[in-house]
Each structure stands twice: as C-alpha cells, then as structure tokens.
Amino acid sequence: MTAAPERTADLYPTRGTTEVATPRQDPVVWAGTDAPGPFASAELAAFERDGFAAVGELITPDEVAVYRAELDRLVDDPRIRADERSIVEPQSGEIRSVFEVHRISEVFARLVRDPRVVDRARQILGSEVYVHQSRINVKPGFGASGFYWHSDFETWHAEDGMPRMRAVSVSIALTENYDTNGGLMIMPGSHTSFLGCAGETPKDNYKKSLQMQDAGTPSDEALTGFADRHGIKLFTGRAGSATWFDCNCMHGSGDNITPYPRSNVFIVFNSVENAAVEPFAAPVRRPEFIGARDFTPVR
C-alpha cells in the first residue's frame, strides 16, 4: 500500500453529529473556461454553472459493441465474479458492479487513455490526472436496484482522503438510457455547496455501501431543499453517449424495473495535484480498488 501524502486541512467537515452545509471553496473548471481541449468554451462555462456536461456521441456504435462484449465477458467470467472487486445485488445475487476495470481489462484500459476521454478530464481539472476509481455498472432489467442520492466527493473525502474538489467523473452509456430504466439524475448547480452528512463511518463501511448507501447519505430535509433550489435533471441518450459531472454533484438513480438493461462504464479522474491523503472521517482507508493509491498520471 502506497504511503499517503501529508495530511492537509479539512476544508469540508462531514460525518459529525449534525448535518452541515459548507460553501464550495474550490474552482469547478480549474484552468478557466478558455482552457484548450475538446470542450468548447461555452461547454466549459455550462459545466462550471451546472456541474455537468453531456456528450451525444463520445464513442461510435462499433466501439460500443466492443465495450459491451467486454462487459459481458467480464460479468460471465466466474473468476471475476469471485473477485472482491465484483459487487453483487443483495436480492438477486447478480453482479452490480466490477471495480478497477481498467486494471482487469486492457480493453477498458485503452478507453481510459483515449484522448476523447482523458483530455476532457485534463481540461476541466487543469492538470495531469490519474484514475481514482473505475468500474462497470450492470443494471439489468426487472429489478436492479438504484443508487441513492449522494455526493461522491463526500465519500471520497471522508473515506478515501481526497482533499479538494478537483475530480471529475464520466459515465459512458453502453446501452440506451431511457427515461424509465433507472437513468442518472443530477441536481444542476448542487456542486456549489458541500453537504456534510451526520453520523460516524462504520469500519469497512464499503462492504455495505457499495450495495446500499447508508453512511454519507443526506437527510430528506436537506435533499428537499437542494431539489427545490436546483431542480432535477434526468439524463437519457443512446449507447455511446456520455455524461461528465463534477465530484460534488448531488446525484442518484432509481431502480430499473423495465425489461431494458442500463449498463455503463464509469471512470473517476483526479488531479495529480489532489492526491489522496489519510481519510478525513473514517477509521481506515477503503481498499485500493475503490480508492486508488497509485497516483501515476494517465498516459
């Protein structure tokens, strides 16, 4: 296990006795909205305002077929299923997610290095980047459970030791995202306020939270206030489309009770200048396949 960099000041307190809102103290687009790269200036300005950006076709239909085949291969491999990096549905026992997929599969490793992907992360974060987390999410039809409302940064800060809001996620659709099959929902503009959640972090919380989030979830009252202020955006799109979103966006997804699966590959890029330290509000680090300790830049 790699030694963590020196601990920094805790700018975003969480997991205390009460729920506490803190104004964001970090930029959203770190090099400014005129930063060169795949996103146009207007797209970066919208990302700065809303906390997300949608790309209608990040990868082609032929490429989607390659990544879908690789996802199916991994899910059907009994060795992958037995690996601790695979998370199963609590009710059906089907695979829900496979973590560290860019290390398990060279096919997904190439996607991480693809300039259409990593250059957008560099443009938003204003630096070289490393992969804090990668996974494939498998959301089959007829009962796959959703992901409750949360800010990823709250968890990464509390349990992985990510110091600042200088990370960005991309969700690339490998199946069509309808408005009915448990798609991603984001509260636009919610990334401008950090909501520190109440309650201590149990030891080895990840074993439960990856199946059903509990610690680090906002109260109903706080979520109602966020929704009233920001509204809720539901993302739809064809396979190959992508949604980029800031690490502090309040987001979630519902159950999928339709016959139509919703699968995606999810990559989290963190700035090399924002490497994880020791957790800010957890007794121990999460495993490296969930919160990376290899800060090598993507090349």
Side-chain angles (χ1 to χ4, degrees), residues 100-114:
E100 213 171 39
V101 71
H102 72 296
R103 296 195 183 276
I104 294 174
S105 163
E106 177 55 31
V107 173
F108 285 113
R110 289 197 300 270
L111 180 63
V112 166
R113 299 191 298 264
D114 190 309

Side-chain angles (χ1 to χ4, degrees), residues 14 19-22 24 49-52 147-156 165 169 183-198 213 215-235 243-253:
T14 189
E19 200 171 48
V20 179
T22 302
R24 185 187 184 108
R49 181 190 67 233
D50 298 330
F52 59 80
F147 293 85
Y148 198 69
W149 290 106
H150 64 286
S151 154
D152 286 330
F153 178 75
E154 193 279 337
T155 298
W156 300 337
M165 294 181 183
S169 301
L184 174 68
M185 295 181 288
I186 293 178
M187 298 184 185
S190 59
H191 63 303
T192 60
S193 179
F194 175 76
L195 188 64
C197 298
Q213 185 95 358
T217 54
S219 67
D220 290 350
E221 293 76 14
L223 287 171
T224 300
F226 265 61
D228 285 347
R229 287 193 300 275
H230 301 294
I232 296 173
K233 164 73 173 175
L234 171 65
F235 291 86
T243 305
W244 291 84
F245 58 102
D246 179 83
C247 60
N248 191 46
C249 283
M250 192 65 70
H251 68 287
S253 65

